[in-house]
Amino acid sequence: MTMQKSKKLIAFLAAFMLLMMCWMPSLASAIDSNAAVSTTYGQVMGKTYDGGMCYLGIPYAAPTIGELRFLPPKAPPEWDGILDATTQPKDPIQNNYSEKKQSEDSLRLNIWVPDTDTDQPLAVMFWIYGGSYATGGINKMYYNMETMANETGCIIVSANYRLNVCGFIDLRDVIPGATVNNGLRDIVFALQWVHENIGNFGGNPDNVTVFGQSAGAALATALLSIPSADAYFDKIIAQSACGDSFYSPAQAKELTKTWMQLMDEPTAEELISMPAKQLVSCNSELDVKKFMKSGIDCIYNPVIDGEFLVCHPSQVKNTDKKVLLGCNKDEASLFLFFVLPPLTLIPFAHEVAMPGYSDELKASVTKGIGFPSTDSLITLTTERMYRFPLTQLADNLSQSTEVYSYRYDYESVLVKMLNLGSFHCTEIPVLFDVSLKLGPIKLRPFGFKADDAVGTRMRTYWGDFAKYGTPSADWTPYDAEQRSTMIINTNDTVCNDPYGERMALYETYIPAWNQ
């Protein structure tokens, strides 16, 4: 290697290390506070960040170990003294298991409390992360909760919940006493903890907005169908909810049967006692089998059991919970980027984009969109997974409560370079102000100054909705006739019925969970 190349490499590595040191400067420079806060189970001590206080890794439930692995969450043991709440918790167990990063002692939550001038209790925003019900956690750098708390003026709470096998497989026929929807039960349990304790952190337990993205958004809407959750929140923000990703009991049993076969039919005792790494060892193989059989939908899903989760959210007949919901313009483009061209267009269209469609429905939804083509499949998959389920949900909920609809069209510089449109998750780095910070300079992986303006407006919309129930005076409430929708872009505009007659084409479609 030449001297010149060596110098360039050293300079690059030095710059990279400096950027990494600046990635989350508030956590690196935070000072532990001497003020402890009381909770139901003991006192906690957090630390300052630039603009407020954060409390990390507070246990809201007991570790789901042994016999508790497939049961509803239980209260954690009380602790003496003051709990050090200054370290991010581990993620729930999932694919690519790592004992260093994942744990069954993961039912913990984080709280960010902004400095404000008001003496009044602050509105609370409770975040549910996405990840197809299979992956994720609150210890993620792409959720900048500090900026979210500071700019919305709300207390932000995020909580881990059980995933994949532990959270969403139905083992009631395998393990005596096991329950279904444990990941969703965890969320309700965490919301109950917030209801009982957030007042001690300066929050208003009667003004809680649940917001989430993708699977997290679907779980947020599922709360509308859970009677035991009703007292713990009053508003929902659902970003790109995978609205059809729910299972009937029969579908859930079919998934369990496949998984049990892959695991060589373990006994109840073996499932309860096996190491975490072994428990999730067949997840990837299950993903492949499920994809080849039923397409691009989520592998693990909440189960409409009729008792805990009493119905699909789109079937809720009456609610007073205000809702803000929407999706991105080109949701499915990134999914298809990874799938095509190994699969030919026609088989993909029939087996993935249009599973269970009648011949008449296939003919109507493919007319006039250049079918078969990659662009037409992006349209069809986006409509089936996001637009139509969300339109159904909005149409139904607007009969009894105030609903606000949006579509995210904004494309940052990098997104435009990819030529994939505003695909799934592109709003996350903009909404959460994700950037590499070098002193006063922000280096953004997804764009430049334009992101600041779009992100600031979105945080204002989200925060005002959480605080007051209305995202903006210019944002017209949704109704099933006009379908008023805010188009979020470089300049935001309100548009009536942005999908036109396309949604009417799907009215004969019956999702698998309802068959």
Side-chain angles (χ1 to χ4, degrees):
M1 182 180 293
T2 65
M3 182 64 71
Q4 185 176 6
K5 287 184 178 179
S6 297
K7 288 181 177 179
K8 287 184 178 179
L9 179 59
I10 293 171
F12 171 80
L13 291 174
F16 180 79
M17 291 176 65
L18 181 60
L19 288 173
M20 290 301 100
M21 290 172 64
C22 298
W23 171 253
M24 298 185 76
S26 58
L27 295 186
S29 61
I31 301 172
D32 289 351
S33 168
N34 292 322
V37 179
S38 294
T39 75
T40 305
Y41 307 109
Q43 291 185 308
V44 299
M45 181 178 66
K47 60 184 179 182
T48 62
Y49 70 85
D50 186 13
M53 287 287 299
C54 61
Y55 304 84
L56 309 176
I58 302 174
Y60 70 85
T64 53
I65 297 172
E67 293 183 355
L68 295 181
R69 180 176 269 172
F70 302 107
L71 294 180
K74 305 292 184 183
E78 297 182 8
W79 57 84
D80 296 324
I82 300 175
L83 180 73
D84 180 2
T86 62
T87 303
Q88 287 277 8
K90 293 182 179 181
D91 292 334
I93 62 172
Q94 53 198 276
N95 293 9
N96 302 315
Y97 176 78
S98 165
E99 187 175 349
K100 183 179 179 180
K101 298 179 180 179
Q102 301 169 20
S103 172
E104 289 188 274
D105 183 12
S106 68
L107 297 188
R108 297 168 179 261
L109 53 80
N110 294 338
I111 302 173
W112 287 264
V113 183
D115 288 335
T116 62
D117 296 330
T118 180
D119 293 329
Q120 299 299 313
L122 300 179
V124 180
M125 298 179 69
F126 182 99
W127 172 251
I128 307 178
Y129 53 83
S132 301
Y133 311 108
T135 63
I138 59 176
N139 185 11
K140 301 298 180 188
M141 290 187 292
Y142 38 80
Y143 303 134
N144 180 355
M145 297 304 191
E146 298 172 7
T147 297
M148 182 64 71
N150 291 347
E151 292 195 15
T152 62
C154 298
I155 291 177
I156 309 296
V157 181
S158 60
N160 279 332
Y161 58 93
R162 280 173 284 180
L163 299 166
N164 54 77
V165 177
C166 293
F168 295 99
I169 277 189
D170 185 358
L171 292 169
R172 289 177 293 178
D173 292 341
V174 181
I175 302 175
T179 48
V180 71
N181 291 316
N182 287 325
L184 194 45
R185 292 174 189 271
D186 294 341
I187 291 169
V188 175
F189 205 72
L191 282 168
Q192 181 180 356
W193 187 98
V194 169
H195 183 77
E196 294 172 353
N197 292 279
I198 204 65
N200 296 338
F201 295 84
N204 183 352
D206 296 321
N207 191 8
V208 176
T209 298
V210 178
F211 72 128
Q213 187 263 348
S214 193
L219 291 172
T221 65
L223 295 172
L224 298 170
S225 304
I226 302 174
S228 60
D230 188 71
Y232 305 140
F233 72 103
D234 67 308
K235 293 182 289 294
I236 285 174
I237 300 174
Q239 302 169 212
S240 303
C242 33
D244 270 358
S245 286
F246 288 77
Y247 278 150
S248 67
Q251 289 175 294
K253 287 184 178 181
E254 182 181 351
L255 183 75
T256 302
K257 180 180 178 181
T258 303
W259 180 73
M260 288 289 291
Q261 291 171 347
L262 293 173
M263 293 289 289
D264 294 327
E265 304 291 346
T267 64
E269 293 76 14
E270 289 171 335
L271 286 172
I272 289 171
S273 61
M274 71 172 51
K277 184 175 183 178
Q278 183 181 351
L279 189 66
V280 297
S281 61
C282 291
N283 284 2
S284 296
E285 191 175 355
L286 180 66
D287 293 354
V288 172
K289 282 185 172 290
K290 175 71 163 50
F291 176 81
M292 297 305 294
K293 185 175 183 180
S294 7
I296 207 166
D297 286 319
C298 296
I299 310 301
Y300 314 89
N301 293 302
V303 181
I304 303 170
D305 62 337
E307 298 175 4
F308 175 74
L309 181 60
V310 297
C311 66
H312 189 275
S314 66
Q315 296 176 320
V316 172
K317 297 301 182 183
N318 189 39
T319 182
D320 59 354
K321 313 295 187 184
K322 293 186 177 182
V323 178
L324 189 159
L325 55 76
C327 63
N328 299 350
K329 181 174 176 288
D330 308 288
E331 290 278 2
S333 63
L334 188 65
F335 304 150
L336 304 193
F337 176 80
F338 288 108
V339 172
L340 299 172
L343 295 176
T344 58
L345 293 177
I346 295 297
F348 184 91
H350 289 279
E351 296 170 16
V352 177
M354 300 184 291
Y357 285 28
S358 65
D359 291 340
E360 292 77 12
L361 181 56
K362 288 180 181 178
S364 65
V365 299
T366 56
K367 186 177 181 180
I369 59 173
F371 181 83
S373 66
T374 299
D375 286 345
S376 68
L377 291 185
I378 291 172
T379 297
L380 291 170
T381 309
T382 296
E383 287 178 344
R384 186 182 71 81
M385 292 182 69
Y386 301 100
R387 288 181 190 167
F388 179 65
L390 283 171
T391 298
Q392 272 196 320
L393 181 63
D395 284 354
N396 178 60
L397 294 179
S398 65
Q399 305 299 314
S400 61
T401 192
E402 206 163 90
V403 174
Y404 295 89
S405 171
Y406 77 88
R407 190 181 75 195
Y408 184 85
D409 287 19
Y410 177 67
E411 297 178 40
S412 60
V413 173
L414 179 57
V415 172
K416 287 181 179 178
M417 290 173 61
L418 294 173
N419 196 32
L420 292 173
S422 52
F423 54 83
H424 195 61
C425 293
T426 50
E427 88 283 11
I428 290 294
V430 177
L431 174 65
F432 286 98
D433 189 38
V434 175
S435 61
L436 299 175
K437 296 179 182 179
L438 185 58
I441 301 173
K442 290 182 179 180
L443 302 179
R444 297 180 178 279
F446 276 78
F448 301 98
K449 288 185 177 180
D451 285 11
D452 270 331
V454 176
T456 297
R457 288 201 309 275
M458 289 184 72
R459 288 186 290 276
T460 300
Y461 292 149
W462 271 222
D464 284 356
F465 179 75
K467 288 181 287 191
Y468 314 120
T470 305
S472 168
D474 299 324
W475 195 326
T476 310
Y478 182 100
D479 65 67
E481 182 176 349
Q482 296 293 328
R483 290 178 172 167
S484 178
T485 301
M486 178 68 80
I487 308 298
I488 297 176
N489 207 327
T490 305
N491 296 299
D492 300 344
T493 56
V494 175
C495 173
N496 286 337
D497 201 9
Y499 309 121
E501 298 178 356
R502 290 292 304 174
M503 294 300 96
L505 301 176
Y506 288 85
E507 290 181 354
T508 61
Y509 171 61
I510 302 175
W513 56 262
N514 197 29
Q515 294 178 14

